[in-house]
Amino acid sequence: IALGIVYAPRVARVVRASTLVIRQLPYVEAARALGVSTPRIVTRHVVPMCLPSLIVRITLDMAGIILTAARLGFLGLGAQPPMPEWGAMLADSYKYFTSGAWWVFFFPGAAIMLSVLGFNLLGDALRDALDVWDLYLRASGFEVLRAEDGTEALRTACEHVPDLVVMDLELPGLSGCQVVGVVGPGGSLPPAKR
């Protein structure tokens, strides 16, 4: 419960930032102009657009929560015996380190590592799958490239794509390319399509 209270402001900040951006999007303003009630706009338009970033934030925070719980357990500040806890298991395993019983410290450490790695990979996959800005820009008729596409792909796209949006990267050596906008990790949108 204590770790949930510590991590809650991070989640609230992400939701607030998403809400502030989403409420200024054209379709939300159009719904407001049509006289749609505020609760309906929130439930039908704002919340569905906020959920992907919220889900990604929570999955990435789970890795930090697991590590923090293991640290507290290792220091003896976590769950008290006989409650099993990976950090407490690691703390107790030092007695068996010199006797050759490697499995006593290996398995709790591996469980921590695999669970943290699993949540990080899940968060990365969900971020790629649920990228709201990518979907929004593609629906608006923009071609979207990412950092992992590489500089050569950007140069090729500059020659063939009239409206190019480059996401999550700086523009190293792309002179002569008409870039409509650069969308950073904070989610700033490109200027209006001309």
Side-chain angles (χ1 to χ4, degrees), residues 15 18 22 46-57 130 132:
V15 171
S18 295
I22 291 167
V46 177
V47 171
M49 291 287 281
C50 286
L51 280 179
S53 59
L54 177 65
I55 291 169
V56 169
R57 181 78 242 177
L130 301 174
V132 176

Side-chain angles (χ1 to χ4, degrees), residues 6 19-20 53 56 58 66 80 87 92 95 104-105 125 135 145 175 177 179 182:
V6 169
T19 303
L20 291 175
S53 59
V56 169
I58 289 173
I66 290 170
Q80 298 302 315
D92 290 338
K95 303 172 202 169
V104 178
F105 59 84
L135 296 173
L145 293 175
S175 60
C177 178
V179 176
V182 176

Side-chain angles (χ1 to χ4, degrees), residues 1 11 29 51 54 62 67 78 85 94 110 116-117 127 136 141:
I1 293 173
V11 174
E29 291 178 7
L51 280 179
L54 177 65
M62 282 302 296
L67 284 175
E85 190 176 45
Y94 78 91
V116 168
L117 179 65
R127 183 182 58 213
Y136 175 76

Side-chain angles (χ1 to χ4, degrees), residues 3-187:
L3 291 177
I5 292 171
V6 169
Y7 280 88
R10 293 181 185 186
V11 174
R13 189 178 66 217
V14 168
V15 171
R16 181 179 184 275
S18 295
T19 303
L20 291 175
V21 171
I22 291 167
R23 75 177 187 177
Q24 296 175 357
L25 292 177
Y27 73 93
V28 174
E29 291 178 7
R32 202 176 296 131
L34 289 171
V36 178
S37 68
T38 302
R40 185 168 175 90
I41 291 174
V42 169
T43 57
R44 294 288 182 147
H45 301 292
V46 177
V47 171
M49 291 287 281
C50 286
L51 280 179
S53 59
L54 177 65
I55 291 169
V56 169
R57 181 78 242 177
I58 289 173
T59 57
L60 292 175
D61 279 350
M62 282 302 296
I65 290 171
I66 290 170
L67 284 175
T68 303
R71 276 188 230 121
L72 290 173
F74 185 83
L75 295 173
L77 302 173
Q80 298 302 315
M83 181 78 68
E85 190 176 45
W86 290 331
M89 289 178 191
L90 280 174
D92 290 338
S93 68
Y94 78 91
K95 303 172 202 169
Y96 307 101
F97 188 72
T98 57
S99 68
W102 58 269
W103 57 88
V104 178
F105 59 84
F106 175 77
F107 288 111
I112 293 169
M113 182 196 69
L114 290 175
S115 62
V116 168
L117 179 65
F119 275 111
N120 278 332
L121 291 176
L122 176 65
D124 286 342
L126 286 174
R127 183 182 58 213
D128 292 342
L130 301 174
D131 190 359
V132 176
W133 297 119
D134 189 24
L135 296 173
Y136 175 76
L137 290 168
R138 288 183 194 279
S140 299
F142 291 101
E143 178 68 26
V144 177
L145 293 175
R146 298 190 158 278
E148 54 266 14
D149 295 333
T151 307
E152 191 58 40
L154 290 173
R155 286 198 180 101
T156 304
C158 283
E159 297 170 5
H160 303 293
V161 179
D163 294 326
L164 175 67
V165 176
V166 183
M167 297 184 75
D168 298 335
L169 65 123
E170 308 270 330
L171 296 172
L174 290 180
S175 60
C177 178
Q178 178 187 351
V179 176
V180 176
V182 176
V183 179

